[in-house]
Amino acid sequence: MGNFVWSGCDVTELANRFGTPLYVMSEDEITSRIRTIKACFDDRYERCSTYFASKSFLTRDMLRILMREGTGLDVVSGGELYLARAMDFPPDMIMFHGNSKTASEIGDGLDYHVGCFVCDSVEEMLLIDRMAGLRSVSANILLRVTPGVEGHTHKYIATAGFGSKFGIPLEMVNDAVSIGMKLGNASLRGFHFHVGSQFMDNSCHIASLEIVLGLISRVYGELGFVTSTLDMGGGFGVAYVDSEQPQPVDSFICPMTELVERFCSDLGIPRPSLVTEPGRFIVGPAGITLYTAGSVKDVPGAGTYVGVDGGYPDNPRTALYGAKYDALVANKYGDGPLKRTTIVGKCCESGDILIRDINLPEIARGDIIAVKCTGAYNYSMSSNYNKNPIPAVVMIKDGQPRLSVRRQSYEDMFSADI
Ligand code: LLP
């Protein structure tokens, strides 16, 4: 019937112009999602700020958007910090996360005077304090705590259960705070928790927050420690397929903020400033990936396989988490009749299946397939497996596409190989 238009662009034309596989991001959608969160958090309550989880999608253009919107940045590595620094991202708006920061990464963070380090252990807190002392600088610290709430999400992206590799178990927090209160160069400002990623409802967030608030009141009563910052993590889910119906983001954030306010005023505890650090919510639905169909074959008992020119290297999420996606044929949008089809990637892995059993118009070699909701953790988790170059990223604003990250060439791919 026609060509699929997304964010004001005919994506078949984008595929012809920029090649495939191609990550296409909508700046308009990213901006609107940032503003949605700000409207229900930063702008609605006092001393609340949003830090974008850069692990979900990090490019220079993304940093430009965040700076324009006045959004903070969560980094977890020297590499993420490097780009932020190269773009003069305001250091006081950077939160340095990571459960196993190297000394060199900590040094980079201190040298750039990042606003805050989120410490995953007492050992790391002491190292930051020592390294800050050697540099004669100060550092703000939050302790990541593990609320012990099992997340209703894929086990690989649940982070707050008992025995998690992330954070400090509740029973060890008092000791950690006592140590933190005596540091000479770093100042302990409060706590961080993150329940995990891709949650459909707020129950785990609220349960974890209640536990952490209990902890805040305990260390206040027992140690006189005043929590000045509480970082409540990210994890707000998005719909990859129609059957997923995540709660709107404000029904995660508003009850959490209101709970903190009520709790603190009931107990006469000073209310901490609040942080949230979404990644997927901001960029997930703001991206699609375009592929060109290659080999099409019918396999008795299995159905029709359509091979595309990408797969696992640009989207490892299906193999890692069994992630589900929706797709359409961009140059046959609305065409019929539909045929049950399985879209497979080009890697030498049986698990490299992008979408199993989806109803699509009959596909032939050369057709353009658009997979939806690929803006989060796809580009950022891409690899060169089977020596496939990393696709280009195109950013669309006001219906105008621009090349945001150029396609890796074969030369780029081998450029570090001596
Ligand atoms: N804060 C912390 C400490 C995190 O570890 C994460 C994500 C976030 C915030 C952002 O979470 P979000 O709002 O995006 O759910 N590769 C996986 C996701 C891993 C999430 C890692 N941490 C995936 O593709 O589903």
Side-chain angles (χ1 to χ4, degrees):
M1 247 162 46
N3 283 358
F4 176 58
V5 173
W6 187 76
S7 197
C9 282
D10 178 330
V11 304
T12 306
E13 281 174 13
L14 294 183
N16 293 337
R17 177 167 157 201
F18 296 101
T20 58
L22 185 69
Y23 294 117
V24 184
M25 301 292 293
S26 165
E27 177 164 346
D28 305 318
E29 185 65 24
I30 294 172
T31 306
S32 128
R33 292 182 154 262
I34 292 174
R35 291 183 185 168
T36 298
I37 293 220
K38 290 194 149 214
C40 69
F41 191 58
D42 307 38
D43 300 342
R44 180 142 165 208
Y45 302 93
E46 268 178 52
R47 293 187 300 121
C48 286
S49 30
T50 300
Y51 285 62
F52 172 68
S54 68
K55 70 200 85 179
S56 59
F57 180 76
L58 180 65
T59 64
R60 290 179 201 272
D61 259 345
M62 188 65 205
L63 290 173
R64 287 184 194 106
I65 297 171
L66 295 170
M67 286 193 276
R68 187 193 65 212
E69 297 298 312
T71 309
L73 190 71
D74 145 3
V75 302
V76 289
S77 70
E80 290 180 351
L81 181 62
Y82 170 87
L83 197 66
R85 200 171 169 164
M87 292 295 290
D88 290 327
F89 199 92
D92 56 318
M93 306 264 291
I94 297 179
M95 187 83 74
F96 201 157
H97 282 271
N99 71 301
S100 181
K101 302 175 197 69
T102 65
S104 141
E105 289 174 322
I106 292 170
D108 289 349
L110 289 169
D111 292 342
Y112 196 49
H113 304 288
V114 295
C116 194
F117 288 89
V118 179
C119 290
D120 207 71
S121 67
V122 170
E123 187 270 343
E124 185 189 282
M125 178 168 71
L126 292 171
L127 177 61
I128 293 174
D129 183 56
R130 219 164 42 242
M131 289 180 64
L134 290 172
R135 286 167 160 77
S136 305
V137 295
S138 57
N140 293 318
I141 281 182
L142 300 182
L143 285 179
R144 179 167 185 168
V145 298
T146 321
V149 170
E150 303 303 329
H152 307 153
T153 187
H154 191 283
K155 67 176 190 245
Y156 286 178
I157 50 176
T159 50
F162 289 110
S164 167
K165 80 164 186 171
F166 297 104
I168 300 175
L170 290 178
E171 64 273 25
M172 297 170 78
V173 173
N174 270 40
D175 287 350
V177 170
S178 306
I179 296 169
M181 287 171 79
K182 295 190 204 106
L183 300 175
N185 310 295
S187 38
L188 181 58
R189 299 282 178 192
F191 301 101
H192 164 271
F193 70 92
H194 169 69
V195 291
S197 205
Q198 182 59 356
F199 283 77
M200 292 292 119
D201 67 62
N202 67 15
S203 55
C204 293
H205 286 77
I206 298 286
S208 299
L209 179 59
E210 282 170 345
I211 290 167
V212 175
L213 287 172
L215 172 100
I216 287 175
S217 105
R218 190 177 83 205
V219 293
Y220 182 67
E222 293 176 12
L223 305 170
F225 177 74
V226 177
T227 300
S228 54
T229 303
L230 173 61
D231 181 338
M232 307 185 293
F236 320 127
V238 301
Y240 283 89
V241 288
D242 286 346
S243 58
E244 285 171 330
Q245 296 282 327
Q247 271 185 345
V249 74
D250 59 345
S251 27
F252 284 86
I253 292 176
C254 294
M256 290 169 84
T257 315
E258 282 154 14
L259 181 58
V260 174
E261 294 194 324
R262 210 167 45 246
F263 184 90
C264 292
S265 80
D266 286 356
L267 271 78
I269 298 177
R271 175 193 169 293
S273 59
L274 297 177
V275 171
T276 184
E277 43 189 29
R280 191 187 316 264
F281 174 81
I282 290 176
V283 286
I288 60 175
T289 306
L290 306 181
Y291 301 98
T292 303
S295 146
V296 179
K297 65 180 179 187
D298 290 323
V299 174
T304 302
Y305 284 124
V306 173
V308 295
D309 52 357
Y312 182 87
D314 61 80
N315 184 358
R317 299 193 67 260
T318 55
L320 274 175
Y321 319 117
K324 301 268 181 289
Y325 285 92
D326 193 12
L328 49 90
V329 185
N331 55 311
K332 293 180 175 168
Y333 190 51
D335 279 11
L338 301 180
K339 184 174 178 190
R340 213 149 184 76
T341 306
T342 291
I343 308 208
V344 302
K346 74 194 289 285
C347 273
C348 307
E349 298 278 333
S350 295
D352 183 15
I353 296 199
L354 282 173
I355 305 177
R356 203 177 276 284
D357 292 331
I358 176 171
N359 290 324
L360 292 174
E362 178 107 32
I363 297 175
R365 181 176 282 274
D367 284 341
I368 302 301
I369 295 168
V371 176
K372 296 200 223 165
C373 202
T374 59
Y377 301 106
N378 288 40
Y379 172 68
S380 63
M381 290 173 77
S382 60
S383 77
N384 285 135
Y385 185 47
N386 285 182
K387 293 294 177 248
N388 288 292
I390 311 271
V393 180
V394 162
M395 186 70 80
I396 303 174
K397 181 164 190 271
D398 300 329
Q400 297 302 316
R402 64 176 187 276
L403 187 62
S404 189
V405 180
R406 71 172 165 75
R407 183 176 304 283
Q408 206 181 32
S409 66
Y410 290 143
E411 292 75 28
D412 292 336
M413 199 162 49
F414 295 108
S415 64
D417 188 332
I418 316 168

